[in-house]
Amino acid sequence: MEIQVRQMTDNDAPAVQKLSEQLGYVLSISEIKNNIRETISSKDHIAFVALHDRKIVGWIHAFKALFLGSISFIEIGGLVVDENCRSKGIGKKLIDRIKEWSLEKGINQVRVRSQVKRKEAHQFYLNNGFVEIKEQKVFQIMLW
Ligand SMILES: CC(C)(COP(=O)(O)OP(=O)(O)OC[C@H]1O[C@@H](n2cnc3c(N)ncnc32)[C@H](O)[C@@H]1OP(=O)(O)O)[C@@H](O)C(=O)NCCC(=O)NCCS
């Protein structure tokens, strides 16, 4: 399967939005478009799409995570491959591109937080050389 990977643009918003639904997220196309614009205008964020026959079949977003008390790392903020195109190495290609970007930025650590329920994704990350380092709970407060 011939796959190209290129940087995401805001024109990709409709396809990115459709794939995001497979992740369980439901933003509108214009909300996704705004997020893409913010992402691509920041030097600390990056997003790539994978194409097959010029159709978007996957996307990945990552950013430099800066914490006051620890060494910076690259964190994967979102990754999805079209459910009709899985197990063909597309996810691996997108991860490899993020690894390259991380090295270009002089950062040797890439992390991803993955929900406990996403068992198949966990196997995918282990296959790609990631090791599990901790489990977390996430807390939130709504301000309006
Ligand atoms: C995780 C995901 C991005 C992998 O993409 P992909 O293009 O299928 O990945 P690759 O082809 O490079 O690797 C496939 C491997 O990942 C694992 N895997 C991925 N999805 C799987 C599934 N549904 N069931 C079982 N194993 C799966 C397997 O180890 C698989 O190896 P195999 O093809 O030899 O069985 C894709 O399954 C996906 O989009 N899942 C839904 C969204 C998601 O969970 N994203 C991650 C959020 S943290």
Side-chain angles (χ1 to χ4, degrees), residues 51-63:
L51 298 123
H52 175 59
D53 281 347
R54 285 186 285 166
K55 181 177 174 278
I56 291 177
V57 291
W59 64 260
I60 193 165
H61 162 230
F63 57 93

Side-chain angles (χ1 to χ4, degrees), residues 16-72:
V16 169
Q17 192 256 4
K18 251 200 151 358
L19 288 176
S20 302
E21 285 175 359
Q22 293 182 21
L23 256 182
Y25 298 118
V26 282
L27 292 189
S28 67
I29 291 176
S30 68
E31 286 169 320
I32 294 269
K33 195 173 264 230
N34 285 338
N35 286 350
I36 295 174
R37 284 185 182 147
E38 273 199 58
T39 298
I40 62 186
S41 66
S42 164
K43 68 173 179 28
D44 286 336
H45 286 251
I46 194 89
F48 295 104
V49 288
L51 298 123
H52 175 59
D53 281 347
R54 285 186 285 166
K55 181 177 174 278
I56 291 177
V57 291
W59 64 260
I60 193 165
H61 162 230
F63 57 93
K64 178 179 170 182
L66 175 64
F67 292 94
L68 198 82
S70 57
I71 291 171
S72 294

Side-chain angles (χ1 to χ4, degrees), residues 22-23 78-83 85-93 112-115 118 120-121 123-125 127-128:
Q22 293 182 21
L23 256 182
L79 164 65
V80 60
V81 170
D82 189 328
E83 55 202 7
C85 302
R86 290 184 191 161
S87 290
K88 295 180 186 338
I90 299 171
K92 180 184 184 320
K93 267 205 160 77
V112 59
R113 292 166 213 274
S114 181
Q115 289 186 45
R118 295 196 200 278
E120 73 288 349
Q123 190 54 50
F124 165 79
Y125 291 119
N127 292 352
N128 280 282

